[in-house]
Amino acid sequence: MLSNELKAQIRQSFMNLKKDMDGFKVRQAQNKMIAEISKTLSGEYKGNNILCVEAPTGTGKTFAYLLGSIPIAKANKKKLIISSANVALQEQLLFKDMPQAQKYCSVEFEYALVKGRSRYLCVRNLINVCEDNTSDNSLFESIPLFDKPPGKYQLEQLSEMLNDYSTKKWNGEIDDLMRAPDHSIWQKIACNRFTCTAKSCEFYQDCAFFKARRQITRADVIVANHDLVLADLSTGNTVLPDVSESIFIFDEAHHLNSKALLHFSLTTSTEFIKTSVRQTKAVSEQLCKISKQDVSGINIKQIDDYLADLIQLLKQLEFNDDIYLFSQGVVHESIKQISENILTLIGAVQTKFTLLKESWGDYLKITAIDKSISGPISNAIGECEQHLLSIITLFSSFLQTDETNKAPHSRWIEKTTLANKKTNYLLNSAQTDVSKNLDQLIWSKVSGAILTSATLTSLGSFERLNKQLGLLRDENQYLRLPSPFVFDQVDFIVAKLKASPTQVYEHTQEVASQLLKRLDSNEGSLVLFASNKQMQIVTDLVEKKLDCTLFVQGEYPKKHILEKHIDLRKQGKGSVIFGLDSFAEGVDLKGDNLTHVVIAKLRFSVPTSPIDKTLATYLESQNRNPFMEISLPDASLKLIQACGRLIRTETDTGKITIFDNRLVSKFYGKQLLNALPNYNIIVE
């Protein structure tokens, strides 16, 4: 229950916000959000400790969840983890919102940013690379630590990084480097859970990653992102505090499902298997040579023979755009049999290698080995472990039999061509439904959770969100807040077009001619496309005829386009931006910077990826309608997001125009229009 002391602390925090924040306006929706967060996290809803809040732009949701949750987290000795969907929001939280929250909050708290291990340097790895490449030690000639050894320039850069870290000019984070090394080089010197020896390492006290870990341990509030949360919780919860001792706030929670789908996808390739087995054999031989053990043979020829048989079968598949999708995720029996043999052999390699690693550890306890030798070997051991595990995990999922009457895994083969012109086959396995994973990792364990976004519902319902994330309506709290803005003066114009978007050529030509008629060369306009191809064709048709500057996504970075657009508007000049999905959310152009949003067509998510296709096929097999269950709700959410670019403050004005006559001609058009804010809808 919410104690009187906690109520007083939260009330005082809000009063401080009201008194000290420039331009603060009392919003009933913000008050309601603070109250519901407080009640949910304090247990007033009898075990329903998860709250989903749709908080439209202008609600003040960030300070609502900060001021409503920090006192409760501290009082209950829980860590508050705030997870955002992207770097921009993470940086805003870290550099703007959190320092302000410290001023307003009635209880003192410390906060810290958490990053994944791979963002931090392993100084032992860096020293080993620098020393290994300056020595004549022939011991490692047969251990392929690098696909391509670092060049002179790269070695000079690595030496400079080591010097800067040693003299404390650099903190060991890749994000704070002026010039980051190539990804392939950074992988070899970054912190890695497979090569990390933690407290056994001589550099433990000076380790960038563990320094950050100690800072996180001291922090009351931890700023993270969805990718890091998913990665950490699925690999043992070793970076973030224990889930059961934490309260999570997922901002931009509508991205959580897509992030999870990507995260729980697995892949390996025929060439990667060959390379990994050879590297493991080379490392094994060196371990045995140093420790004077008998070499435990790895039968490379047998694995190669099975891989050759597998490749022959894969060559016979009918690829579509270099992808072959197994129907309903069921792998062909012939491919399955050979894959099982490969899995058995790789499993045997892993077992032998694990035993060898253990005996190597015992050997190091009784034998003094120069660190210039043991260090690189430890790294090579960790890399081999990581590679073997990834191959085994993929094949285990690839060969798994899915449960009847449950969404199957999506399994597919992708064909690529390497630099040496060799064909490489990628084997992929991905879940089409991650709801169970999220429940096991988070919802069933967490002390409390808030999921929020400006757009969390689809067609006015939380049902789509519940299905995607594994939330049960009866076990959680839900809140849809009204917008603080008045929309009835905003015209939402369904333009009269002859062509439907399904008539691609005719629709594209008509969009171009309509834009020339409707865009005001003295205003700030944003035109959102669902297709890059259509955007490029329309650009070619209109750019020389527009009487103002046109910015097209892809020609410059997004940040640059927005800055140039705002600069032109300050000078009173017209500016038009053509953009795709990334401009349909997270773009905040206030006042005269944006007075007209144009939407080329509704963004229906056509199942093009293997995961989407598998799920759509499965739903059809169950006599369900993937359009009604997936495409339509998603299109509704995307339409609301796109429209949301226009009104960002109480004083903003403007209009929205959409070139999609399906809003009038199709049965679902009325549903989409009814789900919009109360715009003044004009059908031409």
Side-chain angles (χ1 to χ4, degrees):
M1 295 293 288
L2 200 59
S3 67
N4 289 332
E5 183 181 1
L6 274 174
K7 286 179 183 177
Q9 288 175 348
I10 294 168
R11 191 179 299 115
Q12 185 58 52
S13 299
F14 180 73
M15 294 307 293
N16 294 341
L17 176 75
K18 182 179 177 182
K19 177 185 172 186
D20 298 332
M21 187 179 193
D22 291 338
F24 179 83
K25 292 184 179 179
V26 175
R27 297 183 175 95
Q28 292 303 315
Q30 187 181 48
N31 292 347
K32 178 70 172 173
M33 186 171 175
I34 292 173
E36 288 302 312
I37 287 173
S38 304
K39 289 177 184 177
T40 302
L41 297 182
S42 62
E44 289 202 9
Y45 290 117
K46 297 178 183 177
N48 290 13
N49 61 340
I50 298 173
L51 170 66
C52 301
V53 187
E54 184 171 80
T57 301
T59 301
K61 67 178 168 68
T62 304
F63 285 108
Y65 64 63
L66 289 175
L67 301 185
S69 60
I70 291 172
I72 293 172
K74 284 213 70 175
N76 290 288
K77 295 183 171 53
K78 304 295 183 186
K79 295 286 188 179
L80 181 65
I81 300 170
I82 301 171
S83 178
S84 63
N86 54 61
V87 174
L89 183 56
Q90 198 171 15
E91 289 179 346
Q92 181 180 316
L93 276 164
L94 196 67
F95 300 119
K96 182 183 175 185
D97 299 332
M98 297 304 296
Q100 284 187 298
Q102 278 186 319
K103 289 194 300 183
Y104 306 138
C105 192
S106 61
V107 297
E108 292 185 359
F109 69 92
E110 295 299 321
Y111 64 91
L113 173 68
V114 64
K115 299 179 182 180
R117 279 181 190 263
S118 62
R119 310 305 294 174
Y120 296 95
L121 167 77
C122 170
V123 68
R124 176 170 59 84
N125 288 355
L126 180 57
I127 290 171
N128 289 336
V129 169
C130 291
E131 288 184 351
D132 184 34
N133 283 277
T134 55
S135 70
D136 295 323
N137 196 334
S138 61
L139 183 67
F140 310 110
E141 288 180 1
S142 62
I143 302 180
L145 291 174
F146 288 92
D147 298 326
K148 182 182 177 184
K152 183 181 177 184
Y153 165 75
Q154 291 168 322
L155 284 173
E156 288 174 355
Q157 184 185 14
L158 293 174
S159 296
E160 185 182 329
M161 287 164 57
L162 180 57
N163 181 64
D164 287 348
Y165 187 75
S166 302
T167 56
K168 301 196 180 334
K169 292 179 183 176
W170 174 48
N171 62 3
E173 297 180 25
I174 189 173
D175 303 297
D176 291 333
L177 282 173
M178 290 295 289
R179 292 178 298 113
D182 292 344
H183 178 67
S184 60
I185 299 289
W186 177 258
Q187 278 186 312
K188 304 297 180 183
I189 62 172
C191 191
N192 181 313
R193 70 188 179 98
F194 288 93
T195 62
C196 181
T197 55
K199 292 182 180 179
S200 300
C201 179
E202 61 186 306
F203 300 105
Y204 174 73
Q205 292 300 328
D206 196 41
C207 174
F209 172 69
F210 283 104
K211 279 182 182 176
R213 280 283 302 274
R214 289 190 282 274
Q215 186 182 0
I216 291 165
T217 303
R218 294 190 295 269
D220 305 295
V221 181
I222 296 165
V223 179
N225 59 61
H226 299 348
D227 289 316
L228 185 143
V229 170
L230 291 165
D232 182 54
L233 299 190
S234 61
T235 54
N237 198 185
T238 59
V239 176
L240 294 168
D242 189 87
V243 177
S244 63
E245 296 300 316
S246 305
I247 293 171
F248 279 84
I249 294 175
F250 291 100
D251 203 343
E252 300 295 300
H254 63 281
H255 285 295
L256 195 54
N257 176 67
S258 59
K259 296 278 187 185
L261 282 171
L262 288 173
H263 181 78
F264 293 112
S265 297
L266 303 168
T267 187
T268 194
S269 75
T270 49
E271 290 302 307
F272 180 75
I273 296 169
K274 290 178 186 178
T275 304
S276 299
V277 171
R278 281 162 173 75
Q279 181 177 7
T280 303
K281 186 174 189 292
V283 173
S284 299
E285 288 172 350
Q286 291 298 337
L287 290 180
C288 292
K289 182 178 178 181
I290 297 168
S291 58
K292 298 180 174 59
Q293 297 182 60
D294 293 332
V295 177
S296 179
I298 293 176
N299 194 334
I300 286 181
K301 185 180 184 307
Q302 196 174 9
I303 295 172
D304 281 350
D305 288 345
Y306 277 126
L307 281 172
D309 292 342
L310 177 63
I311 289 168
Q312 280 303 118
L313 288 175
L314 299 182
K315 281 180 179 178
Q316 297 169 24
L317 300 175
E318 294 184 11
F319 287 84
N320 183 11
D321 292 331
D322 291 330
I323 287 176
Y324 181 84
L325 178 64
F326 293 104
S327 177
Q328 290 289 284
V330 179
V331 178
H332 301 170
E333 193 59 38
S334 55
I335 294 173
K336 201 171 182 178
Q337 286 176 3
I338 293 176
S339 297
E340 284 171 349
N341 291 332
I342 294 171
L343 175 58
T344 301
L345 289 173
I346 300 292
V349 171
Q350 185 193 44
T351 301
K352 289 179 182 178
F353 192 72
T354 300
L355 292 171
L356 191 56
K357 178 193 171 187
E358 290 171 358
S359 66
W360 171 253
D362 293 337
Y363 179 76
L364 289 180
K365 290 175 185 176
I366 58 173
T367 311
I369 299 270
D370 192 290
K371 287 185 170 61
S372 66
I373 295 174
S374 62
I377 284 199
S378 293
N379 290 351
I381 290 171
E383 193 167 286
C384 291
E385 267 192 303
Q386 185 177 7
H387 291 174
L388 292 175
L389 180 62
S390 71
I391 294 167
I392 288 169
T393 305
L394 176 279
F395 272 114
S396 298
S397 178
F398 194 70
L399 297 169
Q400 175 185 327
T401 301
D402 295 316
E403 293 182 52
T404 309
N405 295 326
K406 287 196 176 178
H409 280 63
S410 181
R411 298 181 178 90
W412 71 97
I413 308 295
E414 186 174 353
K415 184 168 61 173
T416 62
T417 304
L418 301 175
N420 61 6
K421 304 295 175 69
K422 207 169 189 179
T423 301
N424 188 27
Y425 292 95
L426 281 73
L427 286 71
N428 302 273
S429 179
Q431 293 175 227
T432 55
D433 180 358
V434 293
S435 58
K436 189 175 180 181
N437 302 66
L438 294 174
D439 182 55
Q440 290 174 343
L441 292 174
I442 308 173
W443 316 135
S444 63
K445 298 178 180 178
V446 74
S447 178
I450 309 298
L451 293 84
T452 187
S453 175
T455 46
L456 213 53
T457 60
S458 301
L459 296 172
S461 167
F462 285 100
E463 191 58 33
R464 175 90 170 117
L465 182 81
N466 287 339
K467 284 182 180 177
Q468 289 178 322
L469 303 187
L471 298 170
L472 300 175
R473 182 161 188 86
D474 295 340
E475 296 180 9
N476 306 302
Q477 298 301 119
Y478 298 86
L479 178 65
R480 289 189 74 195
L481 295 169
S483 173
F485 305 147
V486 177
F487 292 114
D488 56 8
Q489 297 300 309
V490 175
D491 289 343
F492 180 92
I493 303 164
V494 182
K496 186 175 183 180
L497 267 72
K498 294 178 182 176
S500 164
T502 56
Q503 300 167 286
V504 179
Y505 175 80
E506 293 83 358
H507 181 259
T508 301
Q509 297 295 315
E510 206 166 353
V511 166
S513 62
Q514 287 288 333
L515 285 173
L516 292 171
K517 293 176 187 175
R518 294 174 186 264
L519 291 177
D520 188 327
S521 59
N522 298 310
E523 288 185 347
S525 302
L526 173 63
V527 183
L528 296 169
F529 292 87
S531 154
N532 182 52
K533 185 177 180 180
Q534 185 179 55
M535 181 175 76
Q536 298 302 334
I537 294 171
V538 172
T539 299
D540 292 340
L541 292 171
V542 305
E543 62 181 338
K544 292 179 180 177
K545 299 176 184 177
L546 284 174
D547 294 327
C548 61
T549 304
L550 171 64
F551 297 103
V552 181
Q553 181 177 345
E555 292 182 356
Y556 301 101
K558 180 179 178 180
K559 185 179 179 182
H560 177 84
I561 289 175
L562 295 173
E563 287 173 351
K564 289 291 185 184
H565 175 87
I566 291 170
D567 187 52
L568 286 170
R569 294 303 299 135
K570 283 179 180 176
Q571 300 173 45
K573 297 178 181 178
S575 176
V576 177
I577 298 172
F578 281 8
L580 300 164
D581 278 10
S582 64
F583 276 82
E585 59 176 313
V587 171
D588 193 24
L589 296 169
K590 298 182 177 73
D592 289 341
N593 290 324
L594 182 60
T595 52
H596 192 184
V597 171
V598 181
I599 301 167
K601 65 178 181 179
L602 295 166
R603 291 186 293 160
F604 285 112
S605 52
V606 180
T608 53
S609 77
I611 296 173
D612 292 338
K613 285 181 178 178
T614 301
L615 182 57
T617 305
Y618 166 72
L619 292 176
E620 287 170 351
S621 74
Q622 301 294 303
N623 295 318
R624 291 160 64 184
N625 188 331
F627 178 81
M628 296 301 293
E629 288 192 36
I630 300 173
S631 299
L632 187 59
D634 287 357
S636 173
L637 187 144
K638 290 173 182 176
L639 178 59
I640 293 169
Q641 283 177 335
C643 294
R645 297 315 95 212
L646 182 66
I647 305 299
R648 310 300 296 172
T649 70
E650 286 90 341
T651 57
D652 286 355
T653 58
K655 62 184 176 183
I656 302 163
T657 306
I658 186 166
F659 298 142
D660 197 324
N661 53 23
R662 290 174 295 183
L663 283 170
V664 180
S665 63
K666 296 294 182 180
F667 71 93
Y668 52 77
K670 195 169 183 180
Q671 283 179 272
L672 293 171
L673 292 174
N674 288 341
L676 292 171
N678 61 323
Y679 299 129
N680 177 37
I681 295 174
I682 299 171
V683 178
E684 293 183 341

